[in-house]
Amino acid sequence: MKMKKYLFLTLSSLAILSGCGNVASDKINVTKVSDVSIQTEVAKQTTPEKTKLPSEVIALITNGKWEEAKEALENEEYKNAENYNELYSYVDARFDYITEKATGKISYEPILKKLNMINLEAYNGNFKAEITEFKDAFNKERLGHYDKLTEQSKQKGKEEQIRIDEEFEKKIKSGNYDDYSEIAIATIMKIDEDTESRMIYYFAQSQLSLQENDKEMMMYYLVNIPMDYNGRFSDIFMKKKLSIQSKEKWEEAEAYQNELDRAIRIENSKRNPAIGMSADEVRKSKWGSPEDINKTTTKYGVHEQWVYSNYRYIYLEDGVVTAIQD
């Protein structure tokens, strides 16, 4: 009887403890929910809602008072206003534009950078049409400015070319062959721009090579002045060339040089071998055809090892490159 009573008391105690454990667990869960609620409420309080700019600031922008508008927008209390970043970038760009335009010298790229910070696809404020119109007009003016600079540069280049031509002509006519380095330096940056500069450069370099007793380079530069050249200095150049060898010899040299240049261009256009190329593509690559081919045929296919100089190898499986050893 005592044993039964003891067991009953023990089981009752466990049940009570178990119940207490559940209550405690519920309290912990409630506490967690409460913590989340408090954190959410704090987050709401620390993230202020977007405000609207006061009408007087909007009026400054509307009336194009850019300096006053920029000064107003730099006020801390407005920095959380709706569309603040877009409007500030616009006002800042307009202020820079009118300020610099008054000096007669506009730095277009910094202003464009500020305008590009405005995402017109996302921005739908009251000034969207105005910003779009100004940005388009600004870009048109900017491109026109660069076109004008390009034209001025071309004109300056033409004037510089006339000066070079006159100086070169004086040297030739006076028989002054002691200093062609200045002519070569002055024309080297223009050899891809116009034929006349290129021909003058080649002739100047030929004479410098002659002074250095490098006849091979002298001939190379003179070959690059074709016999059918009929520019401003053709008489002088042809007279010099024909004093060295006949017209037929120069034409042969030209043909050889042209063929050599063509071969170099073809070679430079070739690709290096690559994984996945066919055998034909490899032969047309920079490596070309192999010196030897080791071929193994099994029931799984054809395996080839192409052997090149300097311990280079290409491996093909059924005619397709699978590995390259360089």
Side-chain angles (χ1 to χ4, degrees):
M1 185 67 180
K2 287 182 180 180
M3 179 62 71
K4 288 181 179 180
K5 185 176 181 180
Y6 174 76
L7 287 171
F8 174 75
L9 290 171
T10 302
L11 290 171
S12 299
S13 300
L14 287 172
I16 292 168
L17 288 172
S18 176
C20 291
N22 289 334
V23 171
S25 176
D26 288 344
K27 285 182 179 179
I28 290 171
N29 288 336
V30 169
T31 302
K32 287 181 178 178
V33 172
S34 299
D35 288 345
V36 172
S37 300
I38 292 168
Q39 290 170 5
T40 303
E41 189 62 33
V42 170
K44 287 180 180 178
Q45 293 175 4
T46 56
T47 307
E49 294 182 1
K50 291 287 184 182
T51 59
K52 292 188 178 294
L53 288 171
S55 58
E56 56 267 26
V57 177
I58 297 296
L60 291 173
I61 300 174
T62 303
N63 296 322
K65 297 186 179 296
W66 307 115
E67 185 174 5
E68 294 92 328
K70 181 180 177 181
E71 186 177 346
L73 287 172
E74 287 173 351
N75 194 319
E76 284 292 330
E77 64 179 298
Y78 298 147
K79 291 189 177 180
N80 193 50
E82 189 177 6
N83 298 322
Y84 173 83
N85 291 331
E86 290 83 357
L87 289 176
Y88 184 81
S89 295
Y90 175 56
V91 169
D92 194 21
R94 292 296 297 259
F95 173 69
D96 286 352
Y97 177 74
I98 61 165
T99 303
E100 293 178 11
K101 192 169 186 178
T103 67
K105 187 177 181 181
I106 301 174
S107 299
Y108 286 94
E109 297 313 308
I111 296 174
L112 180 65
K113 184 177 180 181
K114 292 175 182 179
L115 290 173
N116 285 340
M117 290 173 68
I118 306 169
N119 185 352
L120 288 170
E121 293 183 4
Y123 172 68
N124 288 308
N126 295 332
F127 294 97
K128 181 171 184 175
E130 180 181 325
I131 295 172
T132 302
E133 184 180 356
F134 174 74
K135 189 174 180 180
D136 290 344
F138 175 82
N139 268 322
K140 186 177 180 180
E141 180 182 316
R142 169 177 163 270
L143 293 174
H145 169 73
Y146 289 134
D147 287 344
K148 186 178 179 180
L149 287 180
T150 301
E151 190 58 38
Q152 289 175 349
S153 178
K154 287 181 179 178
Q155 183 59 36
K156 187 177 180 181
K158 290 177 182 177
E159 293 171 358
E160 177 65 13
Q161 186 60 49
I162 292 171
R163 186 194 68 79
I164 291 170
D165 290 350
E166 289 174 348
E167 186 175 343
F168 182 75
E169 194 169 15
K170 286 178 183 177
K171 282 181 176 291
I172 295 294
K173 289 181 176 179
S174 65
N176 182 11
Y177 290 87
D178 61 341
D179 185 12
Y180 281 96
S181 58
E182 185 180 352
I183 297 295
I185 292 170
T187 53
I188 189 170
M189 298 302 294
K190 296 172 65 62
I191 59 175
D192 293 326
E193 295 180 13
D194 63 86
T195 302
E196 204 67 41
S197 294
R198 186 161 58 253
M199 297 303 103
I200 293 172
Y201 172 77
Y202 288 146
F203 188 80
Q205 285 288 15
S206 73
Q207 299 311 296
L208 288 171
S209 299
L210 180 62
Q211 290 173 4
E212 295 171 2
N213 203 31
D214 189 343
K215 293 185 179 180
E216 184 178 348
M217 286 307 298
M218 179 197 72
M219 294 295 287
Y220 167 78
Y221 286 116
L222 288 176
V223 165
N224 280 282
I225 304 175
M227 292 303 293
D228 60 0
Y229 164 68
N230 60 355
R232 183 176 177 184
F233 301 102
S234 59
D235 290 345
I236 297 169
F237 295 164
M238 293 306 113
K239 182 179 179 181
K240 182 65 177 179
K241 291 184 67 166
L242 292 174
S243 70
I244 298 172
Q245 62 183 19
S246 67
K247 179 182 177 182
E248 291 73 22
K249 290 287 185 182
W250 282 115
E251 288 174 344
E252 288 177 12
E254 279 180 40
Y256 174 78
Q257 185 64 45
N258 290 337
E259 185 60 29
L260 184 62
D261 290 342
R262 190 182 72 83
I264 291 172
R265 285 194 299 272
I266 292 173
E267 187 63 27
N268 289 337
S269 68
K270 289 181 179 179
R271 298 168 54 197
N272 280 315
I275 303 297
M277 276 187 173
S278 66
D280 186 53
E281 287 174 324
V282 173
R283 292 183 189 279
K284 293 177 181 177
S285 73
K286 287 188 176 181
W287 286 25
S289 298
E291 295 180 351
D292 193 16
I293 296 177
N294 297 317
K295 186 175 180 180
T296 303
T297 303
T298 68
K299 65 178 181 179
Y300 301 108
V302 178
H303 171 80
E304 293 178 81
Q305 180 196 50
W306 288 19
V307 182
Y308 291 85
S309 61
N310 299 321
Y311 305 101
R312 296 175 300 160
Y313 303 92
I314 294 179
Y315 299 89
L316 299 91
E317 299 289 343
D318 295 326
V320 178
V321 176
T322 57
I324 301 170
Q325 184 179 338
D326 186 5

